[in-house]
Amino acid sequence: MKKILFTGCGGQIGSELLFAFRKEYGNDNIIASDVSPKIKQEILESGPFISLDVTDRQAIANAIDEYKVDAIVHLAGILSAVGEKNPQLAWNVNMNGTVNMFEVAREKGIKRILVPSSIAAFGPDTPHEMTPQRTLLYPTTMYGINKVANELLGSYYNAKYDMDIRGLRYPGIISHKTAPGGGTTDYAVAIYFDAIAKGSYECFLSENTMLPMMYMPDCIKGTFDLFHADKSQLTDATRYNVTAFSVTPKMVADSIKKHIPNFEITYKPDFRQAIADSWTDSMDDHLARQEWGWNPEYDLDKMTEEMLREISLK
Ligand SMILES: NC(=O)c1ccc[n+]([C@@H]2O[C@H](COP(=O)([O-])OP(=O)(O)OC[C@H]3O[C@@H](n4cnc5c(N)ncnc54)[C@H](O)[C@@H]3O)[C@@H](O)[C@H]2O)c1
């Protein structure tokens, strides 16, 4: 791979993952794109950026031709909470945007595309503890429905057109550089910022809502590693379970209290509680560990220490 197109690079994950790829391939070989005009200066200054709406198939084709793109990291999307407020937008971006990427890639002979999936692929019927990779997938959110369809569509294109589409089911991703884009696990980012700024946090999930999570450096490493893994090792390429640790809001608060003893948390669950309740508590990610060496480095306390230090520096 010589030239890689990134979609949705202005988002929480893209704005960091992009730099791991620019470091590896050279700045000019990673084409950043997003539909949003609010793109950080460091992205614009470090390499090519184009304004690209993934629902516009012709615009994708033009970008691929112009930059001679031969692989894609497709991160553009509408996340769970925003998707529940505007399901039609979520369908358009998450479904039509993804099929556009696959179709243009197929027409132009591009094989490798990375598309993240999510724990939102799981639903209320899915076993909630140590959820297997192959399991019941009947999500009740528009975002979850889109993610299951994307996983299946990727496998279909791989089988039918000999493509090389890969994906991982991210849990909630916690980071301090770019604000999350409207997901159900966003509390686990906001809690750290409010702990530093106000010494207190009002959580939109109840105190014992257990969800799998991961710190951004592990997300970047895992995504980078799956993208580069030997294809012959991947037996279930579009839907790898990956997780680092499972936590409740109370557990995150207790971890923060080790550094800020007076930190206070209150709970006021909103519509996101029902979404969180339909998701899994913990995941079995042994296949990712076996097949491409997934091995997260951060647990809750190690992440808390770094999050509080980095946010304090801001
Ligand atoms: N952050 C998480 O906790 C998490 C968890 C599970 C899965 N994921 C998945 O990871 C991927 C990246 O997520 P993220 O957290 O960076 O999301 P984000 O919401 O922070 O960023 C998404 C980006 O997509 C862009 N976008 C929206 N509509 C677009 C369009 N029509 N054309 C082009 N760009 C468009 C937005 O402007 C935004 O910059 C998504 O597929 C998401 O579903 C994220």
Side-chain angles (χ1 to χ4, degrees), residues 11-13 34 52-54 75-77 79 117 143 147 170-171 173 181:
Q12 185 194 8
I13 296 170
D34 204 294
L52 181 66
D53 181 345
V54 297
L75 302 172
L79 271 61
S117 190
Y143 176 65
K147 287 299 184 189
Y170 291 142
I173 306 298

Side-chain angles (χ1 to χ4, degrees), residues 220-236:
I220 291 171
K221 185 172 183 313
T223 310
F224 190 87
D225 287 351
L226 175 61
F227 188 83
H228 294 100
D230 180 351
K231 188 184 174 194
S232 67
Q233 302 298 309
L234 308 179
T235 60
D236 201 17

Side-chain angles (χ1 to χ4, degrees), residues 7-15 33-36 39 52-55 74-79 89 93-94 115-119 143 147 168-174 178-182 185-186:
T7 69
C9 79
Q12 185 194 8
I13 296 170
S15 61
S33 77
D34 204 294
V35 76
S36 167
I39 299 297
L52 181 66
D53 181 345
V54 297
T55 64
H74 177 45
L75 302 172
I78 302 297
L79 271 61
L89 174 71
V93 175
N94 298 342
V115 195
S117 190
S118 161
I119 54 168
Y143 176 65
K147 287 299 184 189
L168 6 58
R169 288 183 185 139
Y170 291 142
I173 306 298
I174 301 171
T178 305
T185 52
D186 289 7

Side-chain angles (χ1 to χ4, degrees), residues 240-255:
Y240 283 101
N241 278 3
V242 283
T243 183
F245 48 85
S246 285
V247 286
T248 63
K250 181 173 185 319
M251 287 164 71
V252 181
D254 288 345
S255 181

